[in-house]
Amino acid sequence: MISIVIPCFNEEAVLSQLASRLVAAADQWNEPWEAICVDDGSRDSTWTRLEEIARSDSRWKLVRFARNFGHQKAVSAGLAHAKGDAVFVIDADLQDPPEELYRFIDKWREGYEVVYAVRRKRKEVWYKRMCYYLFYRGLSLLSQTTIPLDSGDFCIMDQKVVSVLREMPEQNRFIRGMRAWAGFRQIGIEYERHARAAGVPQYTFKKLLQLASDGVLSFSTIPLRLATYLGLAVSSIAFFGAAFTLLQRWMGDWFASIGLAPAPGFATIVISVLFLGGVQLVCVGIIGEYIGRIYEEVKGRPLWIESDTVGIYPAAMGKEGPNHLRPLSVNSDSIRKAS
Ligand code: UDP
Ligand code: MG
């Protein structure tokens, strides 16, 4: 069986089109399939629309989050529920065309455990394209795991890889990185990323920035080392500066003869103090970013909370044994009673 994981956040405009195109494409595969839609706390009629789809076609399974937990957690929840031998991750907005999915299945049948999509072209505004371009190059410089360039979450994964991802308890999830980290036989397929079929992008600039920093900080400790290098570089410059100033004071006459007479060094002091202060703040900030993430992990909260499901049982706490890091599920009745 093939599972298709679809995170949906305020996607009412696109769902009927998605359902018809996906069903048409999937019925050609000659494989049983299920679609798992995760409603990431939508504020529009996404859930009602999804329920309508699921009512008429039991291959559609639904999960509803108690609030907006973000795309990466929605995908994780979908993966937690996916029973298929291979699992697709696609966006709801049809930027990843369902008609192309069979190419991924072919590669998977050839024996690749991960077949990810590489964007040949993006239909986005130029500055967004430039940011993506720079981010992926910067990430590959910094990251200690080789993460393929220009590949998003759109992919098919073997159940083996999915179970590895399920076992990874981190809060700050960067799925394309975790997927690369897992290893196995991986291959990229080029495709053209289409424009959104309907609706507006749900990834705000803030969410993209969050994702980018998760990508770098969860896969690299180089920024921490960078802080050390920066500190060392600046201290050595400061050391030479201090030596120069001292010499200038001791051998004032000689320095004056070559045109470097000691001046009342107010500007120098202000500049060096500000500069050093800036560098220290940057370094403290970098360390703080990591500590913040450690704190998130240490709290050990559930990654997401499911308030409703259709066609599947909630991702129960500890299918594989009790584990407080597993997604917590409550059904809507117990929520109502509690409140
Ligand atoms: N999405 C989500 N939660 C969010 C933001 C987005 O589940 O908080 C889903 C959204 O419904 C879509 C996918 O993630 O299926 C990609 O989002 P979007 O199209 O807005 O991002 P972009 O294509 O601009 O990167
Ligand atoms: Mg999109």
Side-chain angles (χ1 to χ4, degrees), residues 153-270:
D153 292 332
F154 178 23
C155 67
I156 190 169
M157 287 179 275
D158 194 272
Q159 183 62 243
K160 279 187 262 182
V161 182
V162 175
S163 23
V164 172
L165 296 193
R166 266 197 288 255
E167 292 304 313
M168 293 167 79
E170 61 228 63
Q171 287 281 345
N172 300 296
R173 303 177 85 74
F174 186 62
I175 289 170
R176 59 204 78 165
M178 293 157 65
R179 188 181 70 204
W181 178 88
F184 294 95
R185 271 161 296 169
Q186 308 213 353
I187 191 169
I189 291 192
E190 287 208 337
Y191 85 114
E192 201 166 309
R193 190 155 164 89
H194 292 249
R196 207 171 224 289
V200 289
Q202 297 302 327
Y203 251 104
T204 54
F205 184 67
K206 201 173 135 204
K207 280 183 183 171
L208 275 178
L209 218 58
Q210 178 68 40
L211 183 68
S213 64
D214 280 345
V216 173
L217 300 182
S218 312
F219 283 90
S220 174
T221 47
I222 292 177
L224 275 176
R225 212 170 303 148
L226 228 55
T228 320
Y229 291 155
L230 196 64
L232 280 178
V234 170
S235 337
S236 37
I237 295 171
F239 176 78
F240 284 116
F244 178 81
T245 321
L246 272 179
L247 284 177
Q248 217 181 9
R249 233 186 127 71
W250 290 337
M251 314 190 329
D253 294 342
W254 183 78
F255 274 97
S257 73
I258 58 164
L260 287 171
F266 188 66
T268 328
I269 290 172
V270 170

Side-chain angles (χ1 to χ4, degrees), residues 91 93 95 193 196:
D91 282 357
D93 58 7
Q95 285 194 288
R193 190 155 164 89
R196 207 171 224 289

Side-chain angles (χ1 to χ4, degrees), residues 308-336:
D308 275 303
T309 57
V310 172
I312 32 182
Y313 292 109
M317 280 195 37
K319 194 176 83 220
E320 287 102 18
N323 180 343
H324 69 290
L325 290 173
R326 239 157 253 294
L328 174 72
S329 286
V330 276
N331 62 41
S332 35
D333 287 332
S334 59
I335 291 181
R336 268 180 227 123

Side-chain angles (χ1 to χ4, degrees), residues 10-64:
N10 296 342
E11 298 286 9
E12 59 179 8
V14 76
L15 285 179
S16 51
Q17 211 181 331
L18 169 78
S20 58
R21 277 178 59 185
L22 188 64
V23 171
D27 282 342
Q28 313 267 308
W29 301 338
N30 299 320
E31 298 262 8
W33 59 270
E34 61 170 6
I36 299 166
C37 297
V38 182
D39 177 2
D40 186 11
S42 298
R43 286 178 280 269
D44 62 3
S45 65
T46 297
W47 181 252
T48 357
R49 298 269 171 105
L50 284 174
E51 276 185 324
E52 281 162 21
I53 297 172
R55 209 171 295 138
S56 58
D57 187 342
S58 64
R59 292 173 298 186
W60 290 74
K61 322 261 163 81
L62 314 180
V63 177
R64 186 184 202 178

